[in-house]
Amino acid sequence: MAADPILTRLSQSGLSPEEAQRLREALRRAVEVGRSAWPALGLPDEAFLQHVVERLPAGKDGVAALESLHVEDLYLACACARGLPKALESFEERLGPQVDAAVRSLRGPSEAEEDVRQVLWEKLFVGAPGRPAKISEYAGRGPLGGWVRIAAVRTGLNLRERRDAEPRSDEPELLDHPTPDPEVAFFKRHYRAELKEALEAAIASLPSERRNVLRLYFVDGLSIDKLGAVYGIHRATAARWVAAARQEILEATCRRLSERLRVDGSEMESILRMVRSQLDFNLGPL
């Protein structure tokens, strides 16, 4: 097994040979516990070892810290962070009912419950440039079920606050969606036509498959679950597809605006926020 290269680096950071040996044995036990709990996930030992070592608290007894971790949960979370299909299915099967119960406890309408699940699954399993998926932040210091339930409740409350703050309108108009950011509001007023043109061009440039995914999700209103059923894929994969297509539109729109307006870095940041704040409100041309 591949514990030695990792422990060599730790030894160079101050571990004595005896401490390194104890940590080696503890890591071996952790891998065996995780693999025994989840034998079908296909997670490489080296990947889990690295995942564990990165989450050990600095300045403390590594063995004691390891023994306090919820290793089985951390193993599943590590596999999910790597996007392993079996891990995502196992997460859904084991923790999906707990998420549902947590969301129902907020006593919102049924459609709001589905919104919470969609947003939560996207946050947990879909990363972005420079920002890994949230599931990678789980460090094993408490049960994964409790960690996910808290995340579900927080997501539900955030969505409720956002809905309560939005003006009631049956047909949101492009660029008329209010924003509390004065700098973003300034760019909306002055670059309405340029943003509309760049956004529509970015949408038109998408490959047909990605356009279809966004059309089904935003225009036809299919949930992540139904989108997954249409394509025969896991819900987490469907969420990643939607997020990837949105990110592609965002980047293409910002690139076109930057070339058209010749703005500097700070102004580009404002344009980025403007496009992100309006993206979901202008997918009609799909």
Side-chain angles (χ1 to χ4, degrees):
M1 107 181 240
D4 286 342
I6 294 174
L7 289 171
T8 297
R9 291 196 295 273
L10 292 176
S11 297
Q12 294 171 349
S13 299
L15 279 180
S16 68
E18 293 78 13
E19 291 170 331
Q21 179 60 31
R22 290 178 58 232
L23 188 52
R24 179 184 295 109
E25 294 172 355
L27 283 169
R28 182 182 297 112
R29 290 194 298 271
V31 171
E32 291 172 353
V33 168
R35 197 193 309 117
S36 296
W38 303 103
L41 301 190
L43 179 65
D45 290 350
E46 297 85 351
F48 184 56
L49 284 168
Q50 184 67 37
H51 195 81
V52 171
V53 169
E54 290 174 350
R55 284 153 183 78
L56 291 178
K60 295 184 179 180
D61 184 344
V63 174
L66 245 180
E67 291 175 347
S68 70
L69 296 181
H70 292 254
V71 173
E72 296 178 10
D73 288 347
L74 190 59
Y75 192 91
L76 175 60
C78 175
C80 287
R82 293 175 66 86
L84 300 180
K86 287 290 186 181
L88 298 172
E89 293 173 7
S90 298
F91 187 100
E92 169 77 21
E93 181 180 350
R94 176 179 174 182
L95 298 171
Q98 297 187 42
V99 170
D100 291 341
V103 174
R104 283 195 299 270
S105 71
L106 298 176
R107 300 186 183 280
S110 58
E111 62 270 19
E113 293 180 8
E114 178 60 29
D115 288 344
V116 173
R117 284 181 62 94
Q118 290 179 20
V119 172
L120 177 63
W121 252 244
E122 182 172 330
K123 286 183 177 180
L124 287 177
F125 303 123
V126 183
R131 179 178 60 81
K134 285 288 185 181
I135 190 65
S136 65
E137 296 180 7
Y138 173 70
R141 297 190 181 94
L144 181 57
W147 186 87
V148 172
R149 287 194 299 273
I150 291 172
V153 170
R154 287 177 175 172
T155 299
L157 293 175
N158 288 339
L159 288 178
R160 177 184 293 176
E161 291 177 0
R162 192 179 306 168
R163 283 194 302 270
D164 291 344
E166 289 176 353
R168 301 303 178 187
S169 174
D170 293 333
E171 296 183 358
E173 295 294 331
L174 171 67
L175 303 178
D176 287 336
H177 187 59
T179 174
D181 189 327
E183 194 172 12
V184 170
F186 170 83
F187 276 95
K188 285 183 187 179
R189 290 194 302 271
H190 288 77
Y191 299 122
R192 293 173 64 94
E194 290 85 351
L195 173 57
K196 184 175 186 296
E197 179 182 338
L199 198 48
E200 291 178 351
I203 292 172
S205 69
L206 280 179
S208 60
E209 183 178 28
R210 293 194 180 183
R211 283 168 54 85
N212 289 336
V213 168
L214 290 182
R215 181 184 294 112
L216 290 170
Y217 183 70
F218 287 104
V219 179
D220 297 334
L222 263 66
S223 67
I224 290 294
D225 285 321
K226 292 180 180 177
L227 191 62
V230 167
Y231 284 94
I233 57 177
H234 190 268
R235 61 179 297 135
T237 302
R240 283 199 297 272
W241 282 12
V242 172
R246 291 179 73 254
Q247 183 67 23
E248 188 170 340
I249 291 176
L250 175 65
E251 293 174 356
T253 302
C254 290
R255 184 170 58 252
R256 292 171 189 273
L257 283 174
S258 178
E259 294 170 354
R260 174 80 178 271
L261 303 177
R262 300 184 183 280
V263 296
D264 61 23
S266 61
E267 290 176 316
M268 196 62 238
E269 285 296 322
S270 298
I271 288 177
L272 179 64
R273 296 199 303 274
M274 174 180 66
V275 175
R276 184 179 288 118
S277 72
Q278 295 299 317
L279 187 56
D280 291 349
F281 293 87
N282 189 43
L283 293 173
L286 286 166

